[in-house]
Amino acid sequence: MINLGRGDINRGFFYITAQIIDTDNSLSAQFTGTLPKASKIGDFYQVWQATYRAFSQRLVMLSSPEEEDDDDELEIETTGITQVSQLSFEAICSDLANEFNNWLQYSKFLQLERKLRSHLSTTAAIRIIIETDDELVKRLPWHCWNFLQDYPDSEIALSRPEYKQLPSQAVNRKKVRILAILGNSQDIDIAAEQTALKALPDAETKFLIKPSRREFDRELWDTQGWDILFFAGHSRTEGETGRIYINEEPYYNSLTIEQLEEALKTAISRGLKLAIFNSCDGLGLANALEKLHIPQVIVMREPVPNLVAQQFFHYFLLAFAVEKLPLYLAVKQARCRLRGLESEYPAASWLPVICQNPAVRSPNWLDLGGIPPCPYRGLFAFQERDADLFFGREQFVADLRVKTEQNPFVAIVGASGSGKSSVVFAGLVPQLRRAKNADWQIV
């Protein structure tokens, strides 16, 4: 967790605190550092944002149906950009990422980074939370930080400096409860999201299609509570809040988070853990929800093409609900898979972002009530991902690890089906990866 403290991009950050918190919520280390002012990064970002929006104008976006641009707090003028090539935009992305990393190479922040490296395992699953009030810093490409390249199971999240854990009632569900709001879909297709949610066998999903404010509010007050709130449709940032377009009526067709405040507070107290806004420019929505101390929010930081939003949600559900990956790894996997679309939709993998309440542990699908995977493998060997299910060979694995550490070559011999592959993949390999001060190359 990295708290940037008071300051902003134009004045610098003079007292940065980085804390390493273990899975049991115990603080194991704390370091401090500083970052200088970097007004030039703000200029790079404004060029990037203006170019991205100009480049994306010909794509089908999930912005507000009115196509207004006056919500842009950075006051970016895109009218002057008339010709944007993909190659030039890729160069702008590279320039912004390089300038950002150059800023983070400042000596007093680099010292902090090196101390983090000395305490973190490159094989550990790490959630890195950036705490700041600076809206521009939240929009910077933290996922491009060079530090992350050495930690493949890490992902960045954003947080406000002020947060707390609200009391919530204990729930014991047999299925994950999802409230899915399918709002204004003018010029976009949100059927794919509905199909993906319907396909989840261990979820109970209530769909509200183009609801009124009264219908939306009533469902949030449901006494059983919800685990996940999902929204697909048009949305936009408005200053420090956000607006979602819930239907296509001529009047009363949109809502801000503040207009749902009491209902959302009640939903959070009854177990709401995650809100997903598969819609445009959602940092304002996340900011407003964070003030209500919701545990996690997933949003798109900029206007998002329809197909990109659909594919991200598909990949996320596959990783989170089917493969049962932790939330952070599921978002990272889904975000990285968007790179396959970037020949048609540049910077697609830059868009999804987690906003986290650091006082609350990130849930996995099983925590929310999902069905655990079947542990029986039949004739198939256990793999590394099955390590938590593999048992009964503890002594053999311990002996094998000693032999592997002491000898340049070890052969495992046994009859077909006796468990040779399982004992290596699900027994030995996970132990080698967890070994401290070891540099094993596993191929």
Side-chain angles (χ1 to χ4, degrees):
M1 187 157 54
I2 302 175
N3 187 320
L4 298 183
R6 294 185 177 182
D8 57 48
I9 202 77
N10 294 313
R11 292 181 298 159
F13 298 90
F14 305 108
Y15 193 78
I16 299 173
T17 304
Q19 296 180 328
I20 298 177
I21 300 175
D22 295 331
T23 53
D24 61 357
N25 287 327
S26 62
L27 177 63
S28 63
Q30 178 170 301
F31 314 110
T32 60
T34 63
L35 278 169
K37 64 180 181 179
S39 304
K40 192 175 179 181
I41 289 181
D43 297 336
F44 273 88
Y45 174 74
Q46 290 191 34
V47 172
W48 179 90
Q49 186 187 58
T51 310
Y52 170 80
R53 295 190 176 190
F55 191 82
S56 301
Q57 282 178 355
R58 62 178 176 267
L59 304 176
V60 179
M61 311 302 290
L62 296 183
S63 56
S64 66
E66 288 86 351
E67 295 296 332
E68 299 175 359
D69 290 326
D70 60 358
D71 65 312
D72 187 1
E73 69 275 14
L74 296 177
E75 299 180 356
I76 303 300
E77 294 292 338
T78 61
T79 54
I81 301 176
T82 57
Q83 294 183 348
V84 183
S85 71
Q86 182 169 331
L87 288 177
S88 64
F89 181 64
E90 289 176 355
I92 291 171
C93 290
S94 179
D95 288 344
L96 174 58
N98 289 336
E99 188 67 23
F100 177 66
N101 276 296
N102 288 339
W103 181 50
L104 298 182
Q105 289 293 307
Y106 179 66
S107 59
K108 292 185 179 179
F109 188 82
L110 194 58
Q111 291 174 7
L112 180 151
E113 179 184 316
R114 288 169 178 162
K115 291 176 181 178
L116 289 176
R117 288 179 181 276
S118 69
H119 284 74
L120 296 174
S121 168
T122 56
T123 60
I126 303 169
R127 64 175 192 173
I128 302 173
I129 304 173
I130 308 297
E131 294 183 14
T132 181
D133 272 332
D134 190 305
E135 294 303 317
L136 176 55
V137 169
K138 290 180 180 180
R139 290 181 177 270
L140 294 179
W142 285 94
H143 66 283
C144 296
W145 184 11
N146 288 337
F147 173 81
L148 303 182
Q149 295 179 7
D150 296 327
Y151 298 88
D153 289 341
S154 64
E155 180 68 341
I156 292 283
L158 304 174
S159 171
R160 299 174 70 247
E162 296 183 5
Y163 51 83
K164 64 180 179 179
Q165 182 175 6
L166 296 179
S168 66
Q169 63 188 39
V171 293
N172 184 17
R173 312 194 202 281
K174 295 183 178 180
K175 287 191 173 184
V176 180
R177 296 201 80 218
I178 304 173
L179 177 60
I181 311 300
L182 305 181
N184 186 319
S185 58
Q186 180 181 332
D187 299 324
I188 60 174
D189 179 14
I190 57 178
E193 287 93 332
Q194 186 174 7
T195 301
L197 287 169
K198 286 181 176 179
L200 296 175
D202 50 356
E204 173 191 341
T205 304
K206 175 69 177 287
F207 292 96
L208 291 183
I209 300 175
K210 300 177 183 177
S212 65
R213 175 179 175 177
R214 178 182 296 179
E215 292 170 328
F216 191 178
D217 191 88
R218 182 182 65 232
E219 290 299 333
L220 288 173
W221 284 88
D222 187 288
T223 55
Q224 295 183 64
W226 303 98
D227 299 300
I228 298 174
L229 171 64
F230 173 78
F231 174 82
H234 293 288
S235 70
R236 56 184 291 180
T237 287
E238 294 184 348
E240 294 186 357
T241 188
R243 181 175 297 275
I244 56 176
Y245 292 81
I246 57 175
N247 59 53
E248 298 174 10
E249 298 298 324
Y251 304 103
Y252 308 112
N253 56 16
S254 66
L255 288 170
T256 63
I257 297 300
E258 287 77 7
Q259 289 174 300
L260 294 168
E261 181 172 342
E262 292 305 319
L264 283 166
K265 285 181 178 178
T266 299
I268 293 169
S269 71
R270 291 175 178 171
L272 180 63
K273 298 291 191 304
L274 173 63
I276 305 172
F277 289 87
N278 214 30
S279 57
C280 269
D281 197 13
L283 284 177
L285 296 167
N287 184 61
L289 282 166
E290 284 183 291
K291 292 178 181 178
L292 305 181
H293 307 292
I294 190 170
Q296 283 90 205
V297 185
I298 299 173
V299 296
M300 300 289 178
R301 69 175 78 226
E302 292 288 343
V304 57
N306 192 184
L307 181 63
V308 173
Q310 290 178 348
Q311 289 298 301
F312 171 77
F313 189 58
H314 168 72
Y315 295 145
F316 172 73
L317 282 186
L318 182 64
F320 188 58
V322 179
E323 297 179 25
K324 308 295 192 294
L325 293 181
L327 178 71
Y328 273 55
L329 290 184
V331 170
K332 176 164 189 173
Q333 180 171 297
R335 184 179 59 74
C336 290
R337 291 189 67 173
L338 293 179
R339 292 172 184 165
L341 301 177
E342 290 186 340
S343 59
E344 301 169 80
Y345 302 96
S349 64
W350 289 45
L351 303 179
V353 62
I354 305 169
C355 295
Q356 171 77 46
N357 180 342
V360 182
R361 185 177 66 88
S362 295
N364 58 42
W365 187 255
L366 300 182
D367 292 334
L368 301 179
I371 300 172
C374 176
Y376 182 61
R377 292 294 178 265
L379 297 178
F380 296 97
F382 283 78
Q383 302 298 318
E384 187 176 351
R385 62 178 177 270
D386 305 316
D388 58 331
L389 300 173
F390 184 71
F391 69 97
R393 301 283 189 180
E394 289 82 5
Q395 187 57 54
F396 184 85
V397 171
D399 295 342
L400 180 59
R401 176 176 172 179
V402 171
K403 292 290 186 184
T404 304
E405 291 173 337
Q406 293 177 347
N407 296 276
F409 181 80
V410 178
I412 301 176
V413 182
S416 176
S418 62
K420 301 183 298 298
S421 297
S422 295
V423 83
V424 171
F425 293 133
L428 176 65
V429 169
Q431 287 206 15
L432 295 181
R433 289 198 192 277
R434 289 194 295 265
K436 293 184 178 180
N437 301 320
D439 185 19
W440 293 96
Q441 183 183 14
I442 298 171
V443 181

